[in-house]
Amino acid sequence: MLLNNLGYPRIGARRELKKACELYWAGKSSKDDLYNTAKTLRENYWKTQAQAGIDLVPCNDFSFYDHVLDMSLLLGAIPARYMPVVTDVKGNTELDLYFAMARGYQKDGLDITAMEMTKWFDTNYHYIVPEFTKQQQFKICSDKVFEEFNGARQVTGKIPKPVLLGPVSYLLLGKEKESGFNRIDLLPRLLPVYIDILNRLASYGAVWVQLDEPVLALDLDDKEREAIRLAYKEINKQCPGLKIVLTTYFGALKENTELAVKLPVCALHIDLVRAPEQLDAVLAAIPEKLSLSLGVVDGRNIWKNNYAWSLEHIRKAQEAIGADRVMIAPSCSLLHSPFDLGLETALDAGIRNWMAFARQKLDELQELKAILDGNEQLLVTNREAIQSRNLSSLIHKQDVKQKVANITDADARRHSAFTTRQRVQQERFQLPLFPTTTIGSFPQTADVRSWRAQLKKGAISKQHYDELIKAETERTIKLQEALGLDVLVHGEFERNDMVEYFGEQLDGFLFTQNGWVQSYGSRCVKPPVIYGDVSRPHDMTVRWSQYAQSVTQHIMKGMLTGPVTILQWSFVRDDQPRSITANQIALAIREEVVALEAAGIRMIQIDEPAIREGLPLRRDERAAYLDWAVKAFRIAASGVQDQTQIHTHMCYSEFNDMIEHIAAMDADVITIETSRSQMELLEAFAGFKYPNEIGPGVYDIHSPRVPTVAEMVALLEKAAALLPARNLWVNPDCGLKTRGWSETEAALKNMVQAAETARQNV
Ligand code: GLN
Ligand code: ZN
């Protein structure tokens, strides 16, 4: 039984690659420095995996920025605008071109935009979207995969397994940059290049090659299915010496099962963590020669593998097709796992014994194999760890479980319908038409961050820190008054991050020291870990909101993060459905909402920027998700009286397919990001006759550019043509945390003026 690994984290145990890239980008280190760091890292990864007994050690899973971008370079899909960088006489190399595609290029009088970036399936990893033209040509333009193959072979003494994104997924994950063709039609031009690459790898001695076709776990149309059939038929015909392991992950094959098992490849990898039920279907359909790689170790979470569970699946497969046709593997690339639990020195020893990061997941594969070879003790030890988690009083809080079980439909419903609430609220607040507000955060300057760092180091006292934050808050409130904003915010200066701030105060969460996961390029996130039943031991934001309200006569919005966003941006429990964890968080947020109301806060915003990204990849699973996600929000929001106004906020995303669910959230006011799409997004809300109040963002906060009054008036007029003016609010697209003060003041001044103009015009 071969041990197969699909990919290893690149960023380094201590984010060495991030730091090396950023130094290089800042011009503070040489290309050689960066290459050397990368080489050392890669060699360590390969050695680690070989020493852990992995038979199929991946190579070419390493990347300076993103593996999809690596493919674009390898295949020569380099958009024409980068040609001046390619041919630059100033000595640009492949790496400069590569980073130009990833990050844009502003040098030597050139100003070339970066390629677009988007989410990798339902993960928090972002890839660089391939760009295709109608006349798109492909040719091998990079030696990276060959160099890594040779490098890994030298370091490990074993034949490594090159990893490539498969041709159909590569095309489908890209985008047509002109009209008049479908990117899937580029396959006949693309395939010969793949075949060249594969044959070149074979000539260097490659035996196994991993081709990732994660699109097999998506809804595909006939044309796309046919493309997959054609691609693998050709590859099989033209690369007879190679063993292809075709990988799928992040979901079940479902109706693509027949297609997948009939492809002429050597092995098929399936994700049994996400979709254990697909094993039966695959075994039922599997032809005689195909091997199976079973993804039994969770590549996307931090929990220890339950060996008994894995063994049950492995044995079932072995019985059905014979042990020699079964491999075991993580469910997907370990890219999505943090690096090494060994670096976590501050965790409670009991809890630590429930966890496994990428490094430990390799050992898990080896231990599973050892158990099958007769080492019973490993199974006993694992069972003890699993049981201690199942029964732990650190995790299981009867009162929390009871509260969730007792949730009724009424708990997820405001007392009165929106029209009644709107009347009551209008009487109470007496706001003008087009009321102005902001999304919550104001600039988190280097000063603010340094106060927090000093507090952490013990260089300043908690009291001193609080005073600094108070002064910054008060200054920001006075500024908002001077600018003439209608509804004020406190600025969120006391928060490091909108999820971490709440996680740190709720029971059931823990934080790691080094649990970083790559999000995009050199950007990493360190998600909190939800390990136990979630409850709220004390008020979280009341003191700051109350303070903020005490320094102004204006309405001060309370500011909370919603349950789905907290869930989505954390590592979650795998011992209960996500919906239950969401409800536990929802009850905790609800208590905070009620406490804010009792403390005299009249408007409360519950941010849900991540609700869209939790949407399942398969259409037929979406309704169920949206049901519980919307309900969790409603539970959080519905503990207050009619006169208390609930706001929510979502960042830019394609809402078209979920407007009715956004409406079902029944927030009194929603603010959304729309300015970059010129209010296009509002058309969906208008088409649906969205009934509640809405603040479509009138300016883009991602850029320091100060918008003019006229352009914001134009956007407001556009909005007023689509939705009733009495329901419209005026606000920026998102929080102002990443902006500087000068552009923030100037932009808000113009925004207030735009609202005044719009009022006069209606
Ligand atoms: N209230 C948060 C802020 O203003 C919202 C951030 C977000 O939508 N991502 O920063
Ligand atoms: Zn936002």
Side-chain angles (χ1 to χ4, degrees), residues 127-142:
Y127 72 95
I128 302 281
V129 182
E131 296 181 11
F132 303 123
T133 58
K134 198 169 174 184
Q135 297 309 324
Q136 187 69 49
Q137 301 295 324
F138 300 98
K139 66 167 196 278
I140 301 182
C141 277
S142 160

Side-chain angles (χ1 to χ4, degrees), residues 649 651 733-734:
H649 166 74
C651 302
D733 268 343
C734 192

Side-chain angles (χ1 to χ4, degrees), residues 453-473:
Q454 287 174 48
L455 174 69
K456 248 189 168 165
K457 273 190 279 180
I460 57 171
S461 68
K462 178 78 173 72
Q463 194 193 342
H464 186 187
Y465 172 78
D466 281 359
E467 257 140 40
L468 291 165
I469 298 284
K470 266 189 183 169
E472 190 73 358
T473 306

